[in-house]
Amino acid sequence: VQLQASGGGLVQPGDSLRLSCAVSGLFFGLYNMGWFRQTPGKEREFVASISARSMISYADSVKGRFTIHRTDSENTVYLQMTSLKREDTAVYSCAAGRWDTTQWEYWGQGTQVTVSS
């Protein structure tokens, strides 16, 4: 199983960025997908998730600014980030968990998002 996150970069406050997570090695349609982020010295933080049935959840800190969606035909989950703030700077990782559990079973490598002027 592989989860390949991409799309990170250096942006200015207020900018937008779209992260992608391409998944292989599992039946994508049966998995919940999530985005998490982590900064040095802090715990990994939940950002957003979309279930196999497309039920969506967001962390309060990103509601109204970030949008998660999945394209099952492409085995890919996206995180559209708008109105980025300095505090969104982190390594963003994607995760996959079976539709019938609350566990995150598979994790991808992270992609760095830096918001700085």
Side-chain angles (χ1 to χ4, degrees):
V1 177
Q2 288 192 327
L3 284 71
Q4 184 74 37
S6 61
L10 172 64
V11 296
Q12 295 187 342
D15 283 353
S16 299
L17 205 58
R18 188 179 80 158
L19 305 183
S20 301
C21 175
V23 180
S24 61
L26 53 77
F27 195 89
F28 188 75
L30 292 181
Y31 281 77
N32 306 322
M33 298 299 302
W35 285 98
F36 295 77
R37 66 187 182 188
Q38 189 169 24
T39 55
K42 291 189 176 182
E43 295 282 325
R44 184 165 54 201
E45 175 187 21
F46 167 79
V47 176
S49 66
I50 183 166
S51 74
R53 296 183 178 182
S54 295
M55 293 181 63
I56 291 173
S57 179
Y58 295 103
D60 287 344
S61 58
V62 306
K63 278 181 183 175
R65 299 188 299 121
F66 291 10
T67 303
I68 187 171
H69 67 98
R70 60 190 293 159
T71 302
D72 286 6
S73 61
E74 297 176 356
N75 285 11
T76 302
V77 61
Y78 301 93
L79 185 68
Q80 179 68 48
M81 305 184 293
T82 64
S83 302
L84 282 161
K85 305 175 180 180
R86 289 180 177 82
E87 52 264 42
D88 295 318
T89 295
V91 174
Y92 285 72
S93 300
C94 53
R98 277 179 55 90
W99 67 272
D100 56 349
T101 77
T102 58
Q103 304 296 317
W104 297 104
E105 186 174 0
Y106 301 106
W107 292 85
Q109 94 297 347
T111 184
Q112 176 71 47
V113 173
T114 303
V115 184
S116 175
S117 55

